[in-house]
Amino acid sequence: METKFRVVMAQVESTPDKEVNVEKAVSAVRDAVSRHRAQLVVFPEIFMSFFPAHTAKQVIVDDAESLEGPFVTRMRELAVRNGVWLIFGMKELGEEPNAGRVFNTVVIVTSDGSIAGTYRKTHLYDAFGFKESDTIAPGDNLFEPIQTPFGKIGLFVCYELRFPEIARYQASRGAEVIIVPSGWVRGPMKEHHWSHLVTVRALENTVFVVACNQVSDFYSGQSLVVDPMGVPMVTGPETEALLACEIDLSRIESVRTKLPSYEHRRSELYTKTN
């Protein structure tokens, strides 16, 4: 396994039209590979289709697809055509489609088109006046990091940045790079929270964090990659952009030699109850 690899965050605006979004993905992946030599391209949370707040539940349920549906199929074909790994968000049809809720799912596709992993968002954005749980059903399990040509990858989604236990779960299972597809909503203090939470999740676990955010009048953009010392490597604008970054996994060992805080944990103290 090489210690260095190139990741591109496709900070794009999703629309209600899946066909438009697929075409955006085609263009983004083509340019990420040809211009930036990307080996891994990350898209935002629920990239498959975006609907405004207060959209009727049935519209969202009807829009959802299975992992075998046309959207994932076309993204898998795109990965093969370009010889690149893809990570993207979708709305996944639940086991009970008439229940009025779907899953907020992230899919990891390899360069040969196979699905290497999936994750259903477990902690839902019922905050700042929004209630994601009205239309999204929570997943039951945290993501188990997977081994890839780019090291061991962990994963969680957007609002879950606010739960340090989730990032620590990934790191404790060997994650070297944590991917965070997001749809971070604009608002007072929100951009401040975004940059600080991404940074501290990287620093407290001494891992890389790759946080790819949607961009629009509703979402704030400003995607970023932060290294294990909490240093921002790439930061994005408030507009659509392809953000390339070369990650060197040897940086993790270098940082942990200087800052062994992860090894200094005393887990036996954290589970005590009064």
Side-chain angles (χ1 to χ4, degrees):
M1 183 188 72
E2 296 289 335
T3 64
K4 296 181 180 180
F5 70 96
R6 295 187 64 81
V7 60
V8 168
M9 297 181 294
Q11 180 177 284
V12 292
E13 180 176 355
S14 180
T15 78
D17 189 331
K18 285 182 275 193
E19 186 62 33
V20 170
N21 298 334
V22 168
E23 290 306 313
K24 285 193 173 198
V26 169
S27 176
V29 171
R30 180 191 63 227
D31 290 349
V33 172
S34 64
R35 296 181 185 177
H36 302 293
R37 297 177 287 113
Q39 296 161 278
L40 169 65
V41 181
V42 180
F43 288 87
E45 175 185 15
I46 314 185
F47 168 68
M48 183 180 83
S49 51
F50 165 74
F51 290 96
H54 311 302
T55 296
K57 291 182 183 180
Q58 198 57 47
V59 171
I60 293 172
V61 172
D62 290 345
D63 180 72
E65 297 184 5
S66 72
L67 295 174
E68 293 75 37
F71 181 78
V72 174
T73 298
R74 293 183 70 179
M75 294 296 282
R76 293 172 68 181
E77 292 169 348
L78 182 60
V80 173
R81 193 157 63 245
N82 290 275
V84 67
W85 284 54
L86 302 179
I87 299 178
F88 56 89
M90 65 170 293
K91 295 188 190 74
E92 183 189 359
L93 197 62
E95 286 81 0
E96 299 178 9
N98 295 324
R101 296 198 296 176
V102 300
F103 292 110
N104 180 338
T105 299
V106 174
V107 184
I108 303 176
V109 174
T110 73
S111 56
D112 68 6
S114 61
I115 295 177
T118 62
Y119 171 61
R120 292 170 170 175
K121 187 178 181 182
T122 55
H123 295 61
L124 303 182
Y125 183 53
D126 289 1
F128 292 99
F130 294 90
K131 197 169 183 184
E132 187 178 21
S133 62
D134 279 347
T135 55
I136 302 295
D140 294 327
N141 299 288
L142 296 181
F143 183 76
E144 294 294 334
I146 61 171
Q147 192 64 54
T148 76
F150 327 112
K152 202 162 191 179
I153 285 182
L155 176 72
F156 57 85
V157 179
C158 196
Y159 181 58
E160 296 177 325
L161 280 164
R162 297 185 183 275
F163 301 88
E165 302 90 343
I166 302 177
R168 181 52 53 90
Y169 182 93
Q170 305 295 310
S172 69
R173 283 153 179 78
E176 298 166 287
V177 181
I178 298 177
I179 308 294
V180 189
S182 300
W184 200 263
V185 179
R186 294 175 181 269
M189 298 299 295
K190 293 295 297 300
E191 288 82 358
H192 177 77
H193 293 177
W194 165 255
S195 61
H196 280 66
L197 287 167
V198 174
T199 299
V200 77
R201 294 292 87 87
L203 178 57
E204 69 192 358
N205 294 293
T206 52
V207 297
F208 289 93
V209 174
V210 176
C212 182
N213 194 22
Q214 282 221 39
V215 60
S216 66
D217 291 338
F218 186 67
Y219 294 120
S220 59
Q222 302 178 39
S223 301
L224 70 163
V225 177
V226 178
D227 88 348
M229 190 61 90
V231 178
M233 300 176 68
V234 173
T235 57
E238 81 289 0
T239 56
E240 288 192 318
L242 293 181
L243 305 165
C245 184
E246 182 174 89
I247 289 178
D248 185 349
L249 297 176
S250 67
R251 171 73 165 153
I252 297 173
E253 183 178 355
S254 172
V255 168
R256 289 182 177 177
T257 299
K258 299 179 222 178
L259 176 63
S261 58
Y262 184 82
E263 296 303 321
H264 290 165
R265 291 170 301 130
R266 296 185 61 191
S267 300
E268 75 278 6
L269 301 181
Y270 312 149
T271 57
K272 285 185 176 181
T273 57
N274 295 324

